[in-house]
Amino acid sequence: MNSSFLESPLFERLQGFALWLLALLHVAALASLILILGMLSSADAQEEACHGVNLVDEMRSENPDAYAKALAEAETVPNAKGIFWKIEKPGVATSYLLGTMHVTDPRVLKMPPGADKALADAKTIIIESNEILDDKKAMAGILAKPELTMLTNGNTIEKLMKPDDLAVLEEGLKKRGVPLATVSRMQPWMLMSLVSLPACELARKGNTAFLDKRIALDAAAEGKPVKGLETLAEQLTAMASIPTEMHLKSLVETIKLGPKMDDVFETMTQLYLTGEIGFTMPFLKQVAPDGGDNAGYAEFEELIVTKRNHLMAERAAPILGEGNVFMAVGALHLPGKDGLVELLRKQGFTLSKAD
């Protein structure tokens, strides 16, 4: 990755918002996905092949110094590697923790070795929100609190955005088959799932359940209890705590990246498949060398990742205490000193990599 590449428009934009975006793509509110997919049922989402290159490969070959710095930082992140963990406690049947991505990529839907058996043998299933078992019921519950999904006080997207940015948004939505008028009163974060997902992913989501949902649906069909750690309303409340200006900026910059979003998605997917979850943010800091978005990401991480991690660990502990549980949550919740792996250890469990 040479200096001209680092100075390209792609990385100028990544510098402004990519840390935020990549985190969102890992832990994107399932509530947003449910509402967006409801809109897409009437949109013309044509199936097409996914494209994209792994930006980590480019860094490794073209800027080995930056790659080395990212690796060194990732080494300082507790539990940075691995998406499949064994949870043990004396006198309690073994449970398992799987980090997931809320996407339908066939590579992601294929769980790591041992996970299928652990899931089949589990007595109880834990996911982020068991409300995803029934999309219609979940949507009704979300819409019952319109302030979480809709702009209030007479505001609209048109009123909040500059004309140039609004034109970018309108064109981006048009390419997704969604007229601006139909979403003009939606909170901007509700649109992020729509504009950030590559067209191939949007098309698949119309027919394929993402991994967490597939796990939950299969378990429910077998009569196993499926327990959630959060409500969708709680997830949306967390999203609503981020300043609207940040959401609007990310919304526009995501659209401006255009086809480059395929590269971002491929990079994120490859890091997930190799279990290098803790490398994601150090890598992005290197491609955004001025660190212009670090403060914004820190705020996002505290509100959307860290606080939720503590809540999920607290709620999961008594269920895990019963043993023989299969727990599946977004992979970005796992690493770090405030990640679920560490937090569950503090709850008295022993965690070791199962993959």
Side-chain angles (χ1 to χ4, degrees):
M1 189 177 299
N2 53 39
S3 60
S4 61
F5 184 63
L6 288 174
E7 293 168 359
S8 68
L10 166 63
F11 284 110
E12 288 177 6
R13 290 187 178 124
L14 281 176
Q15 185 175 8
F17 84 108
L19 298 181
W20 187 93
L21 173 62
L22 265 290
L24 175 64
L25 293 178
H26 268 288
V27 301
L30 300 179
S32 298
L33 292 178
I34 288 173
L35 286 176
I36 291 302
L37 293 181
M39 289 186 355
L40 285 177
S41 63
S42 60
D44 187 19
Q46 299 295 324
E47 183 111 21
E48 59 178 87
C50 293
H51 304 283
V53 298
N54 188 349
L55 299 175
V56 175
D57 291 338
E58 292 194 44
M59 174 184 280
R60 184 188 293 113
S61 62
E62 298 182 22
N63 194 339
D65 289 342
Y67 178 71
K69 289 180 181 178
L71 277 181
E73 182 177 344
E75 288 296 326
T76 69
V77 178
N79 314 306
K81 299 181 180 181
I83 61 170
F84 187 40
W85 295 77
K86 182 185 295 186
I87 305 174
E88 297 174 295
K89 193 173 188 178
V92 177
T94 300
S95 294
Y96 292 87
L97 169 63
L98 176 67
T100 65
M101 285 178 63
H102 304 319
V103 296
T104 60
D105 188 313
R107 296 170 295 175
V108 172
L109 295 180
K110 184 179 180 181
M111 294 190 294
D116 284 303
K117 185 178 187 308
L119 176 60
D121 293 344
K123 178 182 66 177
T124 304
I125 309 301
I126 297 177
I127 58 174
E128 290 181 33
S129 175
N130 59 1
E131 293 173 340
I132 63 174
L133 285 167
D134 186 336
D135 286 354
K136 291 183 179 179
K137 184 176 180 181
M139 189 179 295
I142 295 168
L143 295 178
K145 296 184 177 181
E147 69 277 6
L148 294 180
T149 59
M150 308 299 289
L151 294 167
T152 57
N153 300 323
N155 273 328
T156 64
I157 290 288
E158 292 92 332
K159 292 179 181 179
L160 294 175
M161 300 183 77
K162 298 176 182 178
D164 289 348
D165 288 343
L166 185 62
V168 170
L169 174 60
E170 187 167 16
E171 181 61 24
L173 291 172
K174 184 178 179 181
K175 291 179 179 179
R176 294 293 196 267
V178 180
L180 175 62
T182 64
V183 297
S184 65
R185 294 187 180 278
M186 268 191 158
Q187 292 283 3
W189 60 84
M190 297 302 299
L191 303 181
M192 279 301 297
S193 295
L194 179 58
V195 302
S196 63
L197 295 175
C200 60
E201 177 66 19
L202 279 175
R204 283 196 304 255
K205 281 185 180 295
N207 304 304
T208 306
F210 52 92
L211 183 55
D212 310 58
K213 185 171 183 178
R214 191 188 73 180
I215 288 172
L217 289 172
D218 289 349
E222 295 174 10
K224 295 181 179 180
V226 178
K227 300 187 178 183
L229 300 176
E230 304 172 297
T231 66
L232 296 179
E234 285 175 328
Q235 290 187 342
L236 283 178
T237 299
M239 291 298 294
S241 65
I242 299 295
T244 300
E245 295 76 13
M246 192 174 188
H247 289 293
L248 289 171
K249 177 183 177 182
S250 298
L251 187 60
V252 171
E253 294 301 331
T254 299
I255 296 172
K256 287 181 178 179
L257 280 175
K260 289 296 184 181
M261 276 303 302
D262 287 357
D263 295 342
V264 174
F265 247 82
E266 181 61 21
T267 303
M268 177 187 68
T269 300
Q270 289 290 343
L271 290 173
Y272 174 80
L273 294 173
T274 57
E276 299 287 345
I277 305 303
F279 183 73
T280 304
M281 296 311 160
F283 163 74
L284 287 171
K285 289 177 183 177
Q286 290 303 314
V287 299
D290 293 337
D293 194 48
N294 286 351
Y297 175 71
E299 180 180 7
F300 180 91
E301 184 178 38
E302 172 63 23
L303 294 170
I304 302 300
V305 183
T306 303
K307 285 189 174 182
R308 291 177 61 205
N309 286 352
H310 283 266
L311 180 63
M312 287 195 285
E314 179 182 336
R315 291 177 176 175
I319 307 173
L320 292 170
E322 298 174 2
N324 201 14
V325 172
F326 189 93
M327 178 174 170
V329 298
L332 204 65
H333 290 292
L334 273 56
K337 64 182 179 62
D338 288 303
L340 280 176
V341 173
E342 279 303 299
L343 294 176
L344 289 175
R345 284 173 177 156
K346 292 179 180 179
Q347 295 275 7
F349 297 97
T350 297
L351 277 78
S352 58
K353 283 191 286 187
D355 53 0

